[in-house]
Amino acid sequence: MPVPETTRLLHELEGTVEENLNRHLAAAQEWMPHEYVPWSQGRDFAELGGEAWAPEQSRVSPIARTALEVNLLTEDNLPSYHREIERAFGRDGAWGTWVHRWTAEEGRHGICIRDYLLVTRAVDPVELERMRMETMQAGYDTGDKPLLNVCAYVSFQELATRLSHRNTGRYTQDPLAEKLLARVSTDENLHMVFYRNLVKAALEISPDAMMRAITDEVLNFAMPGAVIPSFQRKAALMAKAGIYDLRIHHDDVVQPLLRYWKVFDLTGLGAVGEAAREELAAFLKGLDTQASRFEERRDAAAARRAARGIADTVDTVDA
């Protein structure tokens, strides 16, 4: 009886998973979420006789607040992500060990970001909780993506998340937020390396199928936070601020991974792989053009604001 393709891939990639799990455990540094939260700044809210939140209490700009909310709400949907990763990778052997280790590490991110936001009163806690409830009830569903598609997607997604966290920290101009999000970004980078290495190994085992999966995930990429209420508006604000935009996505997420996998240098692809690679190349040209047009429009808007004597900050621009 023939072995199902997914079962074969899980078996053939098991050694790579174990090797990279061990590498990850050796590289990952233990850190404590509570050490990154300025607890001395905390005080009671209204229910306990304290003061309700007001915008002037936040020391970060409106767009920084938006980015912090998006980053946290993305992390909040971890139960759905765990379900999807476990469905694809299983519970057994090194695969299962990685699934639970990854989930445990990701859990720290939501803990420390939320504590920081509430203690410093950076965002509206009532609105944040309402959005958390709506986001988690929407959940996250990959539509039963095949194993290779999952490996490709999470490679891009972890790198994208790393950059979003890092750039958000810088944009806040708050040293505490920047330190915290730099720490979170380090975790995301280690996760990206794990998945990136799986894709590299899969390109050797099933080059055509892996190339098709890479192309599909680049063409259809969407951040897991897309289920967040008003995500498109929030993402547009973040793009205008340069926190995460098409240029960053093209230059700093997609291209570095494609170069690492030597996608356009691979030999021995069959008809399926070659067709996927050609489709990918054409899409990347279009994405690069889109990124340049967005930058031109953003620069033109900044020039118009400067001409009117308005401070050159997107925080003053209606999304």
Side-chain angles (χ1 to χ4, degrees), residues 291-313:
S292 295
R293 288 174 178 168
F294 175 81
E295 289 176 308
E296 291 169 2
R297 291 196 300 269
R298 184 170 58 190
D299 291 345
R304 289 194 297 271
R305 291 195 299 272
R308 296 198 303 267
I310 301 174
D312 187 17
T313 169

Side-chain angles (χ1 to χ4, degrees), residues 9 46 252:
L9 288 168
D252 301 329

Side-chain angles (χ1 to χ4, degrees), residues 4 6 26 43 54 141 189 192 194 209 211 218 240 244 248 263 265 285 287 292 294 312-314 318-319:
T6 299
R43 61 189 190 276
D141 187 352
N189 193 61
M192 179 276 294
F194 179 92
M211 182 63 74
V218 171
K240 288 181 180 180
Y244 195 89
I248 291 171
V263 160
D265 297 319
K285 288 181 181 179
L287 183 62
S292 295
F294 175 81
D312 187 17
T313 169
V314 291
D318 188 341

Side-chain angles (χ1 to χ4, degrees), residues 174-280:
D174 177 2
L176 295 177
E178 186 168 358
K179 180 180 180 180
L180 184 156
L181 291 173
R183 176 59 260 185
V184 170
S185 296
T186 299
D187 277 4
E188 304 289 10
N189 193 61
L190 288 174
H191 298 163
M192 179 276 294
V193 170
F194 179 92
Y195 294 124
R196 179 194 69 183
N197 292 350
L198 283 189
V199 171
K200 182 180 179 181
L203 279 168
E204 298 174 1
I205 294 171
S206 296
D208 276 26
M210 190 67 251
M211 182 63 74
R212 182 69 257 173
I214 290 170
T215 298
D216 288 343
E217 296 312 314
V218 171
L219 268 60
N220 301 300
F221 183 83
M223 292 291 273
V227 298
I228 293 171
S230 302
F231 176 78
Q232 293 302 322
R233 180 184 66 82
K234 297 174 190 295
L237 287 171
M238 293 171 68
K240 288 181 180 180
I243 294 171
Y244 195 89
D245 58 25
L246 284 176
R247 177 56 60 201
I248 291 171
H249 184 67
H250 177 276
D251 290 2
D252 301 329
V253 176
V254 176
Q255 290 290 5
L257 285 168
L258 297 182
R259 284 195 298 269
Y260 181 83
W261 296 324
K262 300 180 180 178
V263 160
F264 294 109
D265 297 319
L266 287 175
T267 59
L269 289 174
V272 171
E274 288 290 1
R277 182 159 59 181
E278 290 177 10
E279 187 178 354
L280 177 61

Side-chain angles (χ1 to χ4, degrees), residues 43-57:
R43 61 189 190 276
D44 292 343
F45 287 98
E47 184 69 20
L48 296 180
E51 184 181 7
W53 184 84
E56 60 269 18
Q57 295 168 3

